[in-house]
Amino acid sequence: MSMFGKIFGGGGKGSRGPNPQEAILKLRETEDMLTKKQDYLEKKIEQELQTAKKNGTKNKRAALQALKRKKRYEKQLGQIDGTLSTIEFQREALENANTNTEVLKNMGFAAKAMKSAHENMDIDQVDDLMQDITEQQELAQEISDAISKPVGFGEDLDEDELLAELEELEQEELDNNLLDVESEDVTLPNVPSTSLPTRPVAKKEDEEDDMGDLKRWGMEAI
């Protein structure tokens, strides 16, 4: 039996080991207890420090006793800090181990399920099945191509010949349209029966006035 087994009362070979979840819970409870102890010691250290300051000049003996108690509390506080660090490290390692255990357990469960799923499968049977599926797909494609292919008349016709015939029909239609336009009666507008208005003849007086104006303008220009 190991030293830990002797201290904590571990059983023999037939005893069941502690559950990881239970161990993690116990470590957390221990951490909480030590944290509370830390808070208590910090308060006591502050109290003894205030006592030493208060009696420093009045009662030196009381001040020295307060400082001694303060030192003891500080020592205990340091020990608790180290213990908390060890417990925290142990708890984290245990949590990681528990996580790995659960992961491996689930992976093993999945492996068994996969093995069970493949028990009735044979690789040769799978190959034969895939080959049958491929053949059926090819057959279905051939059937689809055959159904979609035009049958009957028109398959052997020459496309160039059809295009030439279409051009002849278009030209014939164009010629007919031109003949229809030429044969239509075009009605021209009637020639007016009345004579166009003539420019009125200027009176002699107006002509003389115009000549006088021209002469006057010429003299002014000179």
Side-chain angles (χ1 to χ4, degrees):
M1 184 180 297
S2 64
M3 182 63 67
F4 284 104
K6 293 179 181 179
I7 294 175
F8 296 104
K13 293 182 179 180
S15 62
R16 183 180 63 86
N19 188 292
Q21 285 82 5
E22 295 176 356
I24 292 173
L25 181 61
K26 291 291 185 182
L27 290 175
R28 289 188 181 278
E29 291 176 353
T30 303
E31 284 183 273
D32 293 338
M33 179 189 67
L34 292 177
T35 301
K36 292 179 181 179
K37 183 68 174 178
Q38 274 184 324
D39 295 338
Y40 170 78
L41 290 175
E42 288 175 354
K43 291 179 181 179
K44 294 297 292 183
I45 290 172
E46 183 64 23
Q47 289 177 1
E48 296 300 336
L49 181 61
Q50 295 299 326
T51 300
K53 289 180 179 180
K54 182 178 180 181
N55 297 314
T57 55
K58 299 179 181 179
N59 191 344
K60 186 175 294 186
R61 183 176 180 179
L64 290 175
Q65 291 296 326
L67 291 177
K68 289 179 181 181
R69 290 191 296 270
K70 172 179 170 295
K71 291 294 183 181
R72 290 199 304 270
Y73 294 148
E74 288 176 347
K75 184 177 180 179
Q76 293 179 27
L77 184 61
Q79 292 174 346
I80 291 176
D81 289 340
T83 303
L84 276 173
S85 297
T86 302
I87 291 176
E88 183 179 359
F89 175 80
Q90 187 180 16
R91 176 179 56 78
E92 291 176 353
L94 187 56
E95 288 175 346
N96 292 334
N98 184 51
T99 301
N100 293 334
T101 301
E102 291 297 325
V103 170
L104 290 176
K105 185 187 299 183
N106 294 333
M107 290 176 66
F109 180 79
K112 290 180 180 179
M114 186 177 295
K115 183 178 180 181
S116 176
H118 292 162
E119 281 182 356
N120 298 325
M121 291 185 182
D122 182 76
I123 185 62
D124 295 332
Q125 294 178 353
V126 173
D127 290 338
D128 294 339
L129 177 61
M130 296 305 298
Q131 186 175 358
D132 292 341
I133 292 174
T134 302
E135 292 176 356
Q136 294 301 320
Q137 288 178 343
E138 292 176 353
L139 178 59
Q141 184 63 39
E142 291 177 0
I143 293 174
S144 298
D145 293 340
I147 293 175
S148 60
K149 186 176 181 181
V151 295
F153 70 93
E155 185 175 356
D156 297 331
L157 294 179
D158 188 1
E159 185 176 354
D160 293 337
E161 182 179 352
L162 295 176
L163 291 174
E165 184 177 353
L166 179 61
E167 291 180 359
E168 291 178 359
L169 292 175
E170 291 177 349
Q171 184 63 38
E172 183 179 352
E173 181 68 20
L174 181 60
D175 294 340
N176 292 332
N177 292 334
L178 292 175
L179 290 175
D180 292 339
V181 172
E182 292 176 357
S183 63
E184 290 180 355
D185 294 332
V186 180
T187 304
L188 297 176
N190 296 326
V191 179
S193 59
T194 60
S195 59
L196 295 175
T198 57
R199 182 178 179 182
V201 181
K203 294 181 179 181
K204 188 176 182 180
E205 293 83 359
D206 295 334
E207 292 179 355
E208 293 177 354
D209 292 336
D210 293 337
M211 292 300 293
D213 292 334
L214 289 174
K215 290 179 180 181
R216 185 174 60 254
W217 293 340
M219 293 298 293
E220 290 178 356
I222 294 173

